[in-house]
Amino acid sequence: MPTGHHAFCRYEPAGVVVAIAPWNFPLMLETWKVAPALAWGNTVVLKPAEQSPSSATRLARLATAAGLPDGVLNVVQGVGEEVGAVLTLDPRADRVTFTGSSATGRTVAAAAAANLAPVSLELGGKSANVIMADCDLDVAVEWSVRAIFGNAGQVCLAGSRVFVQRPVYDEFVARFVAAADQLRLGDPRDPATSIGPLANEEHHRKVTGYFHDLPAGAKVLCGGPAGDGTWFVRPTVLVDVPPDARVCTEEVFGPVAVVTPFATEGEAVTLANATRYGLNAMVFTEHLRTAHRIAGRLRAGTVWVNCFNVRDMRAPFGGVGDSGIGREGGTFSREFFTEPKAVVVEP
């Protein structure tokens, strides 16, 4: 550029954002999409999951009561295959942000591609939880329980594949099973409840179907379907499961963990990366060099060390492979929800 010219960048609103949220954390994930989209000057059409419509409606009513002008935040209810299809195919949609299953994410991406609308997709996960022999086992067990059994395992980040180094494998499994057995099933509104039922009958059938398809030799150390006609699945720990079993390769989206031993750090990384998903992972170790080395080799959008699901909203959030496309959070949300414009001024 010639000397003396002034160049700068404007970040202008993209326009109309279609935001499609899932049912497992409806209000939280709705706000993760709506807030940055509005903050960067866009209007939003929000479609919540048909299983969890109420929070989106209440959010819109509160926004209206707070003085948000009509037409800025819009909520459209309906079945995803119908309403979601209309929204993502509409040429007036300038951006599409979607959180949900990988299969639906492909459909959303294909629909948006017809209008060359950029998409941000946060999809499924089959997250690895790597337990090194030098870890603090109390910390590892506590966070591992939260990572797979929180929200009855209905979490895209759930640490469903647990890899434990052989010197501490037996002790970890014993503690992990004991902790799982201590979790109390019950009404989610009761403060004494540790784990509630699954979201609906259809999802309960999906999760319990994995128990009917376990390969020979797989051991259920605890848990399984409640078997009482309810939608409960008890916190489940499986061992001796072949790596190609469905429960190891598919997103169960329920309180089911598969624990597998490993010998070396390299083997742990190979096992952790042997999945088409890449949303997040965990590493438990007391050695900082080990943590950095493993985190650098894991194929995942987020790696938590000695913790789980600690979120800084300024950090990028998203995954690779079947876990999605793009990142949101902080300046990453700015890049998605705006159109950067270069302006060059002659002096």
Side-chain angles (χ1 to χ4, degrees):
M1 187 174 69
T3 303
H5 284 71
H6 174 54
F8 63 95
C9 184
R10 293 171 54 92
Y11 291 92
E12 300 179 350
V16 178
V17 173
V18 169
I20 304 175
W23 51 258
N24 57 329
F25 292 100
L27 181 60
M28 182 183 77
L29 293 174
E30 287 157 9
T31 59
W32 280 13
K33 298 177 182 301
V34 169
L38 294 180
W40 288 105
N42 302 283
T43 60
V44 176
V45 179
L46 170 63
K47 197 208 86 66
E50 58 266 30
Q51 300 91 341
S52 54
S54 299
S55 58
T57 297
R58 296 189 67 179
L59 176 64
R61 287 173 178 168
L62 288 170
T64 300
L68 199 68
D70 290 345
V72 174
L73 173 58
N74 312 273
V75 174
V76 180
Q77 304 281 4
V79 177
E81 290 86 346
E82 300 171 0
V83 176
V86 170
L87 293 175
T88 53
L89 283 167
D90 195 307
R92 294 171 293 179
D94 299 292
R95 295 288 187 275
V96 178
T97 171
F98 169 81
T99 298
S101 72
S102 301
T104 305
R106 285 184 167 86
T107 302
V108 169
N115 299 307
L116 298 180
V119 296
S120 176
L121 306 176
E122 193 264 285
L123 307 178
K126 193 66 182 173
S127 303
N129 179 1
V130 178
I131 313 293
M132 301 299 293
D134 61 13
C135 74
D136 182 326
L137 272 180
D138 291 335
V139 172
V141 170
E142 178 183 354
W143 282 108
S144 297
V145 167
R146 294 188 193 183
I148 183 57
F149 301 132
N151 205 43
Q154 299 166 126
V155 185
C156 55
L157 304 167
S160 55
R161 298 182 301 136
V162 186
F163 302 107
V164 186
Q165 202 160 21
R166 289 191 181 277
V168 296
Y169 176 79
D170 290 338
E171 184 177 358
F172 175 87
V173 169
R175 291 196 193 188
F176 191 46
V177 169
D181 276 335
Q182 291 298 312
L183 297 176
R184 177 181 170 183
L185 276 64
D187 188 331
R189 295 167 294 186
D190 184 347
T193 294
S194 304
I195 184 167
L198 298 185
N200 54 62
E201 185 177 7
E202 179 185 4
H203 187 55
H204 181 264
R205 285 197 301 270
K206 171 186 178 292
V207 173
T208 54
Y210 287 94
F211 292 93
H212 305 313
D213 193 35
L214 290 177
K219 296 185 179 68
V220 181
L221 299 187
C222 66
D228 55 1
T230 67
W231 297 344
F232 285 98
V233 173
R234 298 189 302 272
T236 303
V237 179
L238 305 175
V239 296
D240 298 339
V241 184
D244 59 350
R246 287 180 59 234
V247 74
C248 291
T249 60
E250 299 178 7
E251 185 180 35
V252 177
F253 221 62
V256 181
V258 177
V259 186
T260 303
F262 69 87
T264 66
E265 179 182 310
E267 183 185 1
V269 171
T270 298
L271 289 169
N273 288 340
T275 174
R276 64 182 187 272
Y277 295 101
L279 186 56
N280 66 288
M282 288 159 279
V283 180
F284 289 90
T285 175
E286 288 296 285
H287 283 75
L288 189 59
R289 286 186 178 181
T290 301
H292 280 295
R293 192 167 56 242
I294 295 177
R297 298 176 66 190
L298 291 174
R299 185 172 175 269
T302 300
V303 178
W304 282 291
V305 178
N306 295 333
C307 62
F308 168 71
N309 202 17
V310 178
R311 178 84 197 279
D312 186 328
M313 298 302 290
R314 297 165 297 182
F317 188 77
V320 299
D322 274 19
S323 289
I325 297 172
R327 298 291 187 273
E328 294 182 28
T331 57
F332 297 89
S333 288
R334 180 190 67 183
E335 297 300 324
F336 180 68
F337 290 118
T338 65
E339 287 286 4
K341 176 187 290 182
V343 181
V344 181
V345 182
E346 184 176 359

